[in-house]
Amino acid sequence: MKKRILLLAGGQSGEHEVSLMSARSVLNALPRDQFDVTPVVISKQGRWLPPTETQRALDSGEAPTGGDLVLHRAASAEGYDAVFPLLHGPMGEDGTVQGLLTLAGIPFVGSGVLGSAVSMDKIMTKQVLASAGIPQVAWALAVRREWQAQPDTVRERAAALGYPLFVKPANLGSSVGISKVSSAEELDGALDLAFSLDRRVILEAMTAHKPREVEVGILGNDAPIASPVGELRFDADFYDYETKYTEGRASMHIPAPLPTEVADQIRSLALRAFRALDCAGLARVDFFYVEETGELLLNEVNTMPGFTTTSMYPKLFEAAGLNYSALVTRLVELALEER
Ligand code: ATP
Ligand code: MG
Ligand code: MG
Ligand code: MG
């Protein structure tokens, strides 16, 4: 019997288009002799699109308006063996869709409500990882109301971290809404931008030097494995949206040229983080390696990382001997595994 898979893509976050790219790759790769795959694109308004509109959105790369309310469509998810929620960012990677699927009793690829919600929120992630003893940059929290009512307290918090610093919406990805702030004059604009996208914002001290950016893939449920370590190199001040998604702006190096002890430490810290955050299925764990000081700092955990055939996560497992189509098959198996 073929397994029936519902592939969710698009979604309401700033990473809608990135998700559509990932979904096209997964659709092509799930072996048709084993899987019967139905894609459903979720519009930017959060509506689940019927088949013809879904196809149009996948082809054109942009979702039209229209579609059905989530709850109406969720009922028709019945009869699927598993769901692949290939959604990035809020309302997809943050436990909301995972909660809906849990209530509906349908197995799904990736982390559950807890792991998804905590990992999506950069502040909660930092708190959990700090209590697990995992090294990270210094940081501070700010909420929108505070920024509106007592901006000076937020400015003081930033000054205490020192410049340059990074300002980020707590719940987003693809560098959307992130600014590198070099001096106090640039702070207000960066906070306004981040608060236009999220109620909670994180201020992060910048690493002591421009860091090397190294990433590792984790695959599994309660006995997860780590991939080789990969490195991203790019010619930009930091890894912003444009650098991420403009062809030829960044290059991937797998395995990353690192001393063996450093690569081993990255893998072991990543596995510890995966467990501490109660992740499942997959995650891409990103680190800063400050070569000048030898510091290794965990930056973030992405529970639904970019998933095109040329994205880092699939490339890391390809280097470990698991090709793209075997990887997506494995992810569905993990979704169906008893835990
Ligand atoms: P993703 O697309 O991987 O989900 P994201 O939107 O969650 O990314 P971050 O990874 O937190 O964003 O930050 C984006 C980039 O900004 C990093 O890859 C790095 O280049 C730079 N950066 C962020 N925080 C810091 C920091 N504290 N010190 C130095 N560089 C940083
Ligand atoms: Mg991220
Ligand atoms: Mg992300
Ligand atoms: Mg990142």
Side-chain angles (χ1 to χ4, degrees):
M1 266 289 274
K2 282 195 204 178
K3 294 259 182 279
R4 292 192 66 205
I5 307 295
L6 177 65
L7 178 71
L8 294 177
Q12 297 180 64
S13 84
E15 295 182 275
H16 179 98
E17 287 80 9
V18 179
S19 164
L20 294 182
M21 287 193 271
S22 297
R24 278 192 288 266
S25 295
V26 168
L27 256 179
N28 286 331
L30 276 166
R32 287 309 141 100
D33 54 336
Q34 295 174 53
F35 300 106
D36 192 358
V37 190
T38 307
V40 169
V41 166
I42 300 175
S43 76
K44 288 185 177 176
Q45 289 74 32
R47 303 262 165 163
W48 294 31
L49 301 178
T52 44
E53 287 182 57
T54 279
Q55 199 50 54
R56 201 178 311 139
L58 282 170
D59 293 342
S60 72
E62 223 191 297
T65 51
D68 299 311
L69 264 183
V70 166
L71 287 178
H72 173 71
R73 271 282 157 182
S76 66
E78 237 185 322
Y80 288 95
D81 294 296
V83 175
F84 196 145
L86 195 45
L87 302 160
H88 309 299
M91 307 290 186
E93 194 180 350
D94 63 350
T96 48
V97 168
Q98 290 74 12
L100 181 75
L101 298 172
T102 303
L103 280 173
I106 307 165
F108 55 90
V109 170
S111 294
V113 172
L114 180 65
S116 299
V118 177
S119 302
M120 183 86 264
D121 187 284
K122 292 178 186 296
I123 293 155
M124 289 305 292
T125 301
K126 288 256 186 313
Q127 285 171 337
V128 171
L129 296 186
S131 65
I134 292 174
Q136 310 173 86
V137 295
W139 59 278
L141 155 76
V143 295
R144 187 188 281 142
R145 191 62 198 271
E146 210 179 8
W147 177 233
Q148 290 162 347
Q150 300 148 311
D152 280 337
T153 61
V154 178
R155 291 185 189 115
E156 279 161 28
R157 231 169 279 158
L161 287 170
Y163 294 98
L165 57 78
F166 280 81
V167 173
K168 314 178 180 181
N171 291 271
L172 250 175
S174 291
S175 300
V176 175
I178 295 186
S179 310
K180 180 179 170 185
V181 179
S182 301
S183 66
E185 291 73 60
E186 295 170 22
L187 181 67
D188 286 17
L191 283 162
D192 286 339
L193 171 65
F195 279 120
S196 72
L197 298 164
D198 205 333
R199 189 177 62 81
R200 280 147 57 79
V201 162
I202 186 167
L203 309 166
E204 282 185 24
M206 186 181 162
T207 49
H209 302 267
K210 188 167 190 265
R212 284 176 67 183
E213 304 210 21
V214 289
E215 308 190 336
V216 64
I218 304 292
L219 176 67
N221 290 332
D222 295 327
I225 57 165
S227 74
V229 178
E231 178 168 9
L232 285 157
R233 295 202 193 138
F234 48 86
D235 194 15
D237 200 19
F238 72 98
Y239 200 28
D240 57 11
Y241 187 94
E242 206 201 319
T243 310
K244 276 179 188 173
Y245 300 111
T246 309
E247 189 71 39
R249 291 286 299 275
S251 59
M252 240 181 261
H253 303 263
I254 305 172
L258 290 168
T260 316
E261 323 78 81
V262 177
D264 286 347
Q265 203 189 342
I266 289 170
R267 275 193 290 270
S268 124
L269 285 171
L271 284 165
R272 268 171 59 197
F274 189 87
R275 292 198 180 96
L277 294 163
D278 193 29
C279 294
L282 75 164
R284 196 194 72 223
V285 187
D286 301 351
F287 292 83
F288 298 135
Y289 178 50
V290 187
E291 210 160 23
E292 291 85 344
T293 60
E295 267 176 307
L296 192 56
L297 303 161
L298 199 153
N299 170 30
E300 63 156 345
V301 177
N302 289 286
T303 53
M304 193 53 77
F307 218 97
T308 69
T309 49
T310 58
S311 298
M312 181 61 99
Y313 183 88
K315 284 287 176 197
L316 290 170
F317 278 102
E318 197 178 292
L322 205 58
N323 71 31
Y324 191 90
S325 144
L327 177 64
V328 288
T329 303
R330 179 74 193 128
L331 287 172
V332 174
E333 282 169 16
L334 286 167
L336 297 170
E337 185 180 281
E338 182 130 11
R339 298 185 60 198

